[in-house]
Amino acid sequence: MEAAQEHFMEQEESDGSDKPSSSPYNSPFRSTRLHIQRSNVCSRAYFVVVMVFFHVYILNVIALLLYVHYNNGPGDLVSSDGASSSALVSEGGSPLPHPAPASRELHVEDYSQSFSLPRIEGIRVGHVQQVSLVPERTHEMKTLSLKPLLFEIPGFLSEEECRVVVQLAQLKGLMESQAPAPSQGQEESNQPLLSLSTEEVFSLLDLNQDGLLQKQEIVSHSRSRDGTWLSPDNLRQILTGLEARPTEMLNLEDFRRVYDVSQRPGQQRSGKLWSQFRQRSKHTWLFQGLGSHHVLQTLRNRVISLTRLPSALVQLSEPLQVIRYEHGDFSNAHHDSSPSQSETICAHTRLAGNTSALTEVSCRYLTVSFYLSSAEEGGETTFPVADNRTYEEQALVQDGADLTDTQETCGRGNLRIKPTPGMALLWYNHLSDGRGWMGELDEYSLHGDCPVRRGVKWVANSWVNVDPDYQMQARYQRLVAQRHRAKSTMEEHYQPLSHSDLHQDL
């Protein structure tokens, strides 16, 4: 029996090798179809799992974007297309990198880029480092002081560049700078530098050129820093005459009567009070933006390269101030910038803040001063307390002598720098706040100009304005960007020849 079963099984195996079996379980077509069904079930389950993970990933990404969007602070600067840019500093407090300054005109996107305030390392007094400011040439920058952080750069300007800046200043016209009474024996000069007729003054005040002066047109000149042709006394006299008119407006004839009265010094101040003011120096301001002389634009770009600051900060700062010191002219020791206080606001960002109850002050992160000529004798720049171990206001008076009085104590200052044509000085007026922004006023930056004993000294000052409140600076940047975009859009659709197009500042 067993032998018969074995024989039958061997017969089936041999038959299976010769022809396919007729059994449905051994049918290759049926086996293949069952395999495909198992594969479909597996693929469907895999697809469901993948889709679940994919949707979870998408939801996580959306949640992360919403978190970042709603947690951006008001100080974040926005780019020109409205997207939020990087913050000023990272979470760890270290300053973020900023793009290198470009030597080109400022565009809309430059107004709103995120930036930090890098500082040049002084290393030690006397340290010399190489800086690249112009193609195919390097300049030497020497550390003169660590308190304040002060450098000198010989040959910053060429002889031709110095000459052009002086000529542009003379062409623009110089105005008097006046200060408290001079020492005995010094000659006073009260003659005006600019001779403007009454009609010219009226035209300058008449901003909309409608032939009538309104109060807001006159008040707009009261904040002018270089408007020495119209003193505060002149303004008060004119406003008094304006308020006496029923219409509170002045035509040319009315203005002529009011202005003539305001120009009579005997009715404004006594001779004693007038003698308390005298000429210290003469100065003017030169615009460095688009349309200015190429030398002025070159100097501004060179300042960007030297300071390593974002180009937007430098380009939105004050114009170049050019000063002429003649025989006996000087400036007492002072700070270029102001300490940050709750009741003050920076003059350059006042458009972005509430100016009704705040006092405007100068906020200047650093100063770059250029010597355009050298006086034959005197005229040094002095830093009375540079690198003192400590700073105390009481220490400014030594043996009864005030170190801020450069007329009397210029030789007693810790550091004096003789003017050399083409040389530049760079110093920081503020310390760092430790997070890449502007901190407290550096009191050691106190400086002044010694009296010129013989010859004439020409100096130019370039200041970089920064608000110690980063959020206020960011708001100001956004406001400038919005106005720039609005102006560009308007010019694209409407480009008439206006009165302003006929005048181009130097």
Side-chain angles (χ1 to χ4, degrees), residues 157-356:
L157 285 80
S158 65
E159 181 179 348
E160 175 66 15
E161 289 171 335
C162 292
R163 183 184 63 82
V164 169
V165 175
V166 169
Q167 290 178 343
L168 289 173
Q170 292 174 323
L171 183 61
K172 178 71 179 292
L174 300 173
M175 296 162 288
E176 287 187 1
S177 301
Q178 295 182 345
S183 301
Q184 294 182 354
Q186 287 198 331
E187 186 177 347
E188 297 181 12
S189 175
N190 296 320
Q191 298 299 322
L193 290 174
L194 298 178
S195 178
L196 297 175
S197 66
T198 304
E199 291 77 9
E200 290 172 329
V201 174
F202 182 86
S203 179
L204 289 173
L205 291 173
D206 188 10
L207 300 180
N208 59 7
Q209 296 293 296
D210 63 350
L212 295 173
L213 287 186
Q214 302 176 13
K215 184 176 181 179
Q216 57 267 29
E217 291 179 315
I218 299 174
V219 173
S220 66
H221 288 262
S222 64
R223 295 184 182 271
S224 176
R225 297 186 179 184
D226 55 354
T228 55
W229 55 273
L230 196 60
S231 67
D233 287 319
N234 298 146
L235 285 170
R236 281 192 291 270
Q237 291 286 340
I238 295 172
L239 289 175
T240 300
L242 177 72
E243 294 171 354
R245 304 291 300 176
T247 60
E248 292 191 353
M249 290 187 293
L250 297 176
N251 58 27
L252 179 57
E253 293 301 324
D254 297 331
F255 177 77
R256 183 178 284 110
R257 288 191 293 268
V258 174
Y259 185 70
D260 289 344
V261 172
S262 71
Q263 293 301 295
R264 299 172 189 171
Q267 299 185 10
Q268 306 174 45
R269 45 168 72 94
S270 64
K272 181 178 180 181
L273 182 61
W274 178 262
S275 65
Q276 292 181 359
F277 293 86
R278 77 171 205 89
Q279 172 186 330
R280 296 291 184 96
S281 61
K282 302 180 180 69
H283 73 277
T284 191
W285 303 83
L286 298 180
F287 176 68
Q288 295 181 272
L290 182 63
S292 63
H293 196 281
H294 72 91
V295 169
L296 298 179
Q297 297 186 54
T298 298
L299 291 182
R300 185 184 63 181
N301 293 333
R302 205 171 295 167
V303 169
I304 296 174
S305 299
L306 174 65
T307 61
R308 306 169 190 175
L309 292 172
S311 58
L313 282 179
V314 179
Q315 293 170 346
L316 289 176
S317 296
E318 298 172 64
L320 184 71
Q321 185 192 43
V322 182
I323 309 177
R324 172 187 169 97
Y325 292 92
E326 299 178 353
H327 175 72
D329 287 347
F330 66 98
S331 67
N332 286 335
H334 60 281
H335 294 101
D336 281 350
S337 191
S338 305
S340 177
Q341 299 175 352
S342 58
E343 64 273 11
T344 62
I345 188 172
C346 295
H348 75 283
T349 56
R350 65 180 183 271
L351 296 177
N354 179 18
T355 61
S356 60

Side-chain angles (χ1 to χ4, degrees), residues 11 18 22 30 33 62 66 74 85 125 143 147 173 181 204 212 243 299 328 366 369 410 417 419 426 451:
Q11 183 67 29
D18 295 336
S22 60
R30 181 64 176 174
R33 185 175 64 178
I62 294 176
L66 291 174
S85 63
V125 175
T143 303
K147 298 188 302 184
L204 289 173
L212 295 173
E243 294 171 354
L299 291 182
L366 58 78
S369 186
C410 190
I417 305 169
L426 183 155

